[in-house]
Amino acid sequence: MSSYLTETEGHRPGHTATVSAMTARFRRVEQALALSTDLFDATATPDADVWQAVQHAIDNNVPEDDDLDFKREWWSNPKELAKDCVAFANAAGGILIFGVDDDGRDVAVGWSPVAPKSDFDEQVQSITATRTAPKLPRVLVRWVPNPNGDPDGIGLVGVARTSSQPHAATDSHRLTYPVRRSKITDYMSESEVADRYRNRFAMARGDQDRAQAITDAARPALERTNNIWLTVTFVPSLPGSLPLTAEQPYETTSLVWQWQNEMPLEHNQTRNFSERVRKGRIVISSDAASRVSHYQHHELWLKGSGFASAVVGEIRGGEALRWGTAAQPDVEFVLFRLTDLLTQHATRAGAAGDGILVAQLLPAHEDAARGGAEVPIPFLIDTTRPPNEAELAHARRVDGEPAQVTVPLDTIAESVSELIIATRRLAVDLLAEDGISNVVSLMPDGQYDPGRLLNELQRKARQWAIDRNIETPPLYVSLR
């Protein structure tokens, strides 16, 4: 049986994220096993190296700990696996190694290889998805065969750290809260559970403040004279960490180039990206020679947070009457694409857990030089003719109230349909500011419908969706 590696989040079709960029690291366990590479990266750590690392643990009687548990056999009941995984999640994460004997002393003393399970990964993912609440956001699985050719081997299950504590193990409508304490699995008291919930809510409030700070830092770089901007900010609850190397600005810009090449909306294309390093982040602008950005502006933080923005509308009319307008399908599509970019960046940085998404539509304003002060230009969605007095009276002239939703990063990174559903929730909140209650292209079931885009853009958007395995409703109009 060959080695295999899976995890709950995986990566979406059409994306090129590598396993090493997506997996969690268990560095203390790796150090205890005398490894310097990622235990769940089959490329960096081949099967033979894993086997040798476990042999090192046996030879040196490596003890179990908060993040390491040896099992001489597979679980006999699904609730046992759920309990052990939740216990790690309620601590700082950890690894179960099936196929190592601890002789009842909580130290590695010998081999006890287990028979291969043909559905090892599926069982682990199913149990941890259905028997934990909230669902564990990231679980990794690896089977390592015996290098001598024997059919038996060892199984690894890694539970990543999580910001959603406390997690519960569910059994017949009963909730328990196991937690790993040194070498044993204990259960949290009622007061401990209450403390964990308070901490979770406090973290969420801190993430909201962080999102506002990131947005405030980026917005001055947007050229808003005659430009209508859509901005999206994302803050993960569990930050990641990208090293600030000489190559990092170029690697981050390459991610943006790859993302933009997938986007069929021509008016948001730019061929002039420039990158620069600022404290804690890489700033990517569509204008190399300007202090402000005219088409796109992104600020991607090394810890996985980010700000992404693009122009979505235009100014119409003459001196007597000028108004700004943006097509609703364009707004929805660009909202989805900006959210996708921030999700890719956060995942690449190794961030995890839930995250806060904040979106805002920013109307244009007259050049300050024309009258000595900025004069806001009325903004209307889907208005192609000059608005009448009643429409102007209801037109928005100030920045919209930010829309905000909380999303599970690992789930939307794994599934495009879940990303569409999350973006739809954000779009409902965003468009309500302009009196729009119906989202037209992001479907509740995770499909994308480009039907209201102009014919050529519709064709490109539909092909874009097909290339990424995104379902689209039947096409009822001609694309000639």
Side-chain angles (χ1 to χ4, degrees), residues 172-220:
S172 300
H173 307 293
R174 175 172 171 261
L175 299 179
T176 60
Y177 293 86
V179 62
R180 187 77 176 175
R181 305 190 201 275
S182 186
K183 301 176 181 180
I184 65 171
T185 295
D186 195 6
Y187 288 89
M188 286 190 279
S189 66
E190 183 178 10
S191 61
E192 284 181 291
V193 173
D195 283 342
R196 298 292 182 99
Y197 276 114
R198 280 192 287 269
N199 290 341
R200 187 204 293 180
F201 299 146
M203 286 178 61
R205 288 192 293 271
D207 290 342
Q208 291 174 348
D209 294 340
R210 173 70 175 153
Q212 186 62 56
I214 289 174
T215 303
D216 290 345
R219 277 180 47 171

Side-chain angles (χ1 to χ4, degrees), residues 70-361:
F70 298 115
K71 301 288 187 181
R72 67 186 309 272
E73 58 190 7
W74 295 119
W75 61 90
S76 59
N77 189 301
K79 67 181 181 181
E80 293 180 15
L81 179 64
K83 180 194 71 173
D84 289 334
C85 289
V86 168
F88 277 142
N90 283 332
I95 297 177
L96 296 164
I97 302 181
F98 294 92
V100 177
D101 189 2
D102 67 355
D103 195 28
R105 294 186 286 140
D106 300 325
V107 299
V109 299
W111 290 99
S112 181
V114 291
K117 284 181 175 285
S118 60
D119 57 351
F120 174 35
D121 55 337
E122 289 87 351
Q123 284 194 40
V124 172
Q125 310 303 354
S126 175
I127 290 170
T128 56
T130 61
R131 291 178 175 266
T132 66
K135 172 187 170 183
L136 301 185
R138 187 182 294 185
V139 179
L140 296 87
V141 179
R142 183 173 181 180
W143 168 258
V144 183
N146 191 325
N148 296 329
D150 295 338
D152 295 347
I154 57 175
L156 309 179
V157 176
V159 180
R161 64 194 178 112
T162 167
S163 64
S164 302
Q165 299 178 5
H167 291 272
T170 63
D171 180 29
S172 300
H173 307 293
R174 175 172 171 261
L175 299 179
T176 60
Y177 293 86
V179 62
R180 187 77 176 175
R181 305 190 201 275
S182 186
K183 301 176 181 180
I184 65 171
T185 295
D186 195 6
Y187 288 89
M188 286 190 279
S189 66
E190 183 178 10
S191 61
E192 284 181 291
V193 173
D195 283 342
R196 298 292 182 99
Y197 276 114
R198 280 192 287 269
N199 290 341
R200 187 204 293 180
F201 299 146
M203 286 178 61
R205 288 192 293 271
D207 290 342
Q208 291 174 348
D209 294 340
R210 173 70 175 153
Q212 186 62 56
I214 289 174
T215 303
D216 290 345
R219 277 180 47 171
L222 309 183
E223 206 296 304
R224 295 183 58 184
T225 302
N226 301 327
N227 285 329
I228 299 168
W229 287 85
L230 172 62
T231 71
V232 182
T233 303
F234 179 69
V235 176
S237 57
L238 288 176
S241 180
L242 287 172
L244 185 54
T245 61
E247 296 79 18
Q248 190 58 245
Y250 307 105
E251 293 175 359
T252 302
T253 305
S254 294
L255 171 69
V256 176
W257 274 115
Q258 177 187 338
W259 163 83
Q260 181 182 249
N261 288 337
E262 298 176 346
M263 181 184 285
L265 299 184
E266 295 296 337
H267 63 264
N268 283 324
Q269 293 283 357
T270 179
R271 301 294 178 188
N272 199 30
F273 275 133
S274 66
E275 68 280 334
R276 57 188 182 273
V277 177
R278 292 293 181 265
K279 185 176 180 180
R281 65 194 188 276
I282 309 298
V283 176
I284 300 172
S285 172
S286 59
D287 298 83
S290 176
R291 295 177 58 186
V292 294
S293 299
H294 291 77
Y295 304 103
Q296 293 184 34
H297 184 84
H298 314 302
E299 300 197 3
L300 304 180
W301 290 73
L302 298 176
K303 291 187 176 182
S305 299
F307 172 93
S309 61
V311 172
V312 292
E314 60 184 3
I315 303 303
R316 298 192 177 189
E319 290 294 327
L321 174 63
R322 305 183 77 213
W323 77 95
T325 185
Q328 182 181 345
D330 285 8
V331 171
E332 293 178 15
F333 184 75
V334 176
L335 179 67
F336 171 61
R337 297 296 291 126
L338 294 176
T339 303
D340 185 30
L341 172 62
L342 295 177
T343 301
Q344 291 187 49
H345 168 68
T347 303
R348 175 173 171 264
D354 291 338
I356 290 178
L357 273 171
V358 180
Q360 197 170 18
L361 274 169

Side-chain angles (χ1 to χ4, degrees), residues 402-437:
Q404 178 178 307
V405 296
T406 299
V407 297
L409 173 58
D410 306 282
T411 300
I412 64 176
E414 175 188 4
S415 167
V416 181
S417 62
E418 292 294 338
L419 178 66
I420 291 174
I421 293 170
T423 309
R424 175 185 170 84
R425 292 170 48 214
L426 188 62
V428 168
D429 198 11
L430 177 73
L431 295 171
E433 184 75 4
D434 293 284
I436 296 173
S437 59

